[in-house]
Amino acid sequence: MHVKADLVVKNIGTLLTPPPSDGPLRGKLLDQVEQVGNAFIAVKDGIFIDYGNHEYEQYINEATEVINAKGMLVTPGLIDAHTHVVHGGSREFEFEQKMRGVPYLDILKAGGGIHSSVNMTREMDFDGLYQQSKKSLDHMLRFGVTTVEGKSGYGLEKETEIKQLEVQKQLNEDHPIDLVATFLGAHALPKAYESDRRTFLDKVIDMMPEIKKRKLAEFVDIFCEDGAFDLADARYLLEAAKKQGFKLKIHADEIVALGGVPLAVELGAHSADHLMAIDEEGLRALSHSNTIANVLPSTSFYLNSDYAPVRKMIDRNLAVALSSDYNPGSSPSENFLFTLNIAAIHLRMSPNEILNAATLNPAYSIDRAHEVGRIAKGYKADFVIFDAPNWPYVLYHYAINHVCDVFKKGNRVIKNQRKVWE
Ligand code: NIG
Ligand code: FE
């Protein structure tokens, strides 16, 4: 007898999913998407057991829930692989300063920016942080995001860094969104350590064993930038993290290219993120490497600064992903679809490239490509029904939420744009 599905979604107008591949998508392959018209999806135990446009009745018995997608568009659940989702408060009080033209790094140097959020995050208790972050995750889910990477980095001392990671761990258990945690203890240099960076880095390294033991983070990241940490600092910290068994990421070339990208490739980092100022050396290092070039165009938009040279990156065979960088300073919006709008307009990426850069490639950047990022047999049944005639329409008709329903592990968690999971 044939295996029966818990859920069948039928009458899908167009189903889109990344093309078959045994690694991240790059070059011409990044511009290819598997497209199935008049499709169905079958799910059992939270996993896709089939999809396509062949016969689906075989999967149905009286226990199967059957949902009619009414000709709408279906994609895999979107993956936002670079966020700072857990933080206390907000920074609208610095917004006006920023609008008057004060540069991001100047605000940081004057003790604001990241330091402002550090103060607010230190002051907020677990419950406050939990509620604020949960609200953000609810927004993300409504925009079709089903997997999120989130970083600490607004504590810069052990207690608060761990508090942030504990909040994230709890939310990973409670919220439909799957969270992947990154320890970013070296996000900014506290004033007290200005003349003694190594002492600070050693303190951050000393936090790692407990974080590792309690499985509070899987990745370690550092902000390698003028006014934050230099290349020698990044090597020192990331090598120590690697030795302790962490996977690696780096904030690199956001404003100035300091050599963080070649370092990331040398150390086998899963991603190098930002890359607005990437230089020839960085491009060369990333091309053909499995380190994902994680581009964050909402940050360029919000800082009114340069965009990463994505066309050049794709020509040079880099595996490009897109993320929101949701954070209280340089990208205060959970709207990942808007990030994708910006990618179309300012990065000049094609609709197919954008879909792949928001699903499979970010899954690689967080080491989840074996379970999320595509609609395929054996993958988690994370998918989105868009009330849109086609995917290019979602990118063209901008700043609107076209998401109708969101499914996480086969459960409908957003129905008709409304939350239904609590
Ligand atoms: O990725 N660049 C460093 N960190 C964040 C910004 C954090 C903040 O301003 O609070 C980013 O853009
Ligand atoms: Fe960031």
Side-chain angles (χ1 to χ4, degrees):
M1 210 185 79
H2 226 284
V3 61
K4 299 299 174 196
D6 304 325
L7 169 73
V8 166
V9 179
K10 65 173 187 180
N11 198 13
I12 296 169
T14 307
L15 180 152
L16 300 177
T17 186
S21 72
D22 46 19
L25 303 168
R26 51 179 96 238
K28 292 212 167 17
L29 194 57
L30 186 67
D31 199 19
Q32 281 173 35
V33 160
E34 185 183 328
Q35 177 169 337
V36 188
N38 192 20
F40 77 94
I41 280 172
V43 178
K44 188 176 171 53
D45 298 329
I47 302 290
F48 294 118
I49 54 170
D50 202 1
Y51 74 99
N53 57 7
H54 49 279
E55 226 251 286
Y56 62 82
E57 275 84 5
Q58 53 181 321
Y59 292 111
I60 298 178
N61 67 10
E62 57 292 341
T64 307
E65 182 185 7
V66 180
I67 289 175
N68 186 346
K70 297 183 187 149
M72 289 193 272
L73 170 74
V74 167
T75 72
L78 305 178
I79 299 181
D80 191 348
H82 180 138
T83 82
H84 304 251
V85 62
V86 179
H87 60 263
S90 52
R91 306 222 294 268
E92 62 275 23
F93 56 88
E94 287 173 2
F95 184 58
E96 198 181 322
Q97 215 180 345
K98 209 173 84 79
M99 289 303 98
R100 274 191 263 109
V102 184
Y104 180 79
L105 288 181
D106 289 7
I107 297 176
L108 182 68
K109 267 183 214 129
I114 293 172
H115 298 296
S116 300
S117 293
V118 166
N119 293 336
M120 290 184 273
T121 306
R122 286 180 183 173
E123 272 162 32
M124 201 175 261
D125 65 8
F126 181 97
D127 197 50
L129 276 177
Y130 180 94
Q131 293 305 337
Q132 178 173 341
S133 312
K134 180 164 174 262
K135 208 166 162 180
S136 286
L137 291 176
D138 283 350
H139 286 310
M140 291 174 173
L141 193 65
R142 277 198 196 90
F143 287 112
V145 174
T146 49
T147 303
V148 167
E149 183 265 7
K151 305 171 194 295
S152 67
Y154 292 110
L156 310 182
E157 34 82 342
K158 190 170 179 183
E159 193 188 330
T160 311
E161 289 290 322
I162 289 197
K163 179 173 66 178
Q164 276 187 277
L165 293 170
E166 284 172 341
V167 166
Q168 202 170 292
K169 190 172 185 178
Q170 191 60 47
L171 283 165
N172 186 38
E173 282 169 28
D174 300 348
H175 197 277
I177 287 183
D178 279 329
L179 284 151
V180 175
T182 298
F183 173 49
L184 177 59
H187 192 192
L189 187 67
K191 244 200 160 40
Y193 294 94
E194 247 159 30
S195 55
D196 197 3
R197 325 160 64 78
R198 273 300 147 93
T199 304
F200 178 72
L201 290 174
D202 285 333
K203 277 196 180 307
V204 173
I205 291 166
D206 286 346
M207 298 177 207
M208 290 178 190
E210 182 177 342
I211 290 169
K212 184 82 198 161
K213 195 166 124 234
R214 295 178 56 202
K215 294 194 169 77
L216 288 171
E218 198 176 317
F219 288 87
V220 166
D221 192 347
I222 182 168
F223 187 18
C224 182
E225 188 62 58
D226 248 4
F229 299 95
D230 66 20
L231 184 62
D233 296 336
R235 177 180 288 283
Y236 185 71
L237 183 107
L238 293 177
E239 280 182 348
K242 189 173 177 175
K243 231 180 255 152
Q244 295 196 35
F246 287 97
K247 296 172 236 180
L248 308 178
K249 296 184 166 290
I250 190 166
H251 280 67
D253 299 5
E254 178 174 353
I255 297 155
V256 191
L258 295 181
V261 175
L263 175 71
V265 173
E266 179 196 325
L267 297 180
H270 275 68
S271 69
D273 300 48
H274 278 299
L275 314 177
M276 285 109 104
I278 192 168
D279 58 5
E280 176 54 35
E281 217 192 322
L283 286 167
R284 204 176 317 127
L286 279 176
S287 77
H288 304 278
S289 92
N290 277 333
T291 301
I292 301 291
N294 200 11
V295 173
L296 318 172
S298 297
T299 307
S300 302
F301 172 81
Y302 203 75
L303 295 180
N304 209 358
S305 62
D306 292 338
Y307 287 88
V310 168
R311 290 278 26 121
K312 201 197 261 180
M313 293 162 114
I314 293 172
D315 285 349
R316 297 287 295 272
N317 226 38
L318 274 64
V320 172
L322 293 164
S323 299
S324 72
D325 194 22
Y326 170 59
N327 75 71
S330 63
S331 183
S333 170
E334 298 92 335
N335 185 343
F336 190 40
L337 289 183
F338 188 56
T339 302
L340 305 187
N341 295 147
I342 299 171
I345 292 162
H346 288 286
L347 303 179
R348 309 207 163 270
M349 292 175 76
S350 74
N352 285 350
E353 288 170 343
I354 291 172
L355 187 80
N356 289 327
T359 53
L360 189 63
N361 279 4
Y364 274 101
S365 79
I366 50 172
D367 202 18
R368 293 291 189 278
H370 53 289
E371 57 178 29
V372 291
R374 48 165 106 242
I375 294 171
K377 283 184 200 174
Y379 275 60
K380 282 190 190 173
D382 298 355
F383 58 98
V384 183
I385 302 181
F386 286 91
D387 184 9
N390 52 59
W391 177 245
Y393 180 90
V394 174
L395 303 171
Y396 143 85
H397 191 155
Y398 83 109
I400 285 290
N401 191 359
H402 299 282
V403 170
C404 183
D405 290 0
V406 180
F407 292 78
K408 180 68 192 176
K409 292 177 205 139
N411 296 314
R412 179 149 54 175
V413 286
I414 298 289
K415 183 178 182 182
N416 246 326
Q417 296 208 349
R418 278 188 292 277
K419 176 170 156 181
V420 287
W421 60 270
E422 260 180 344

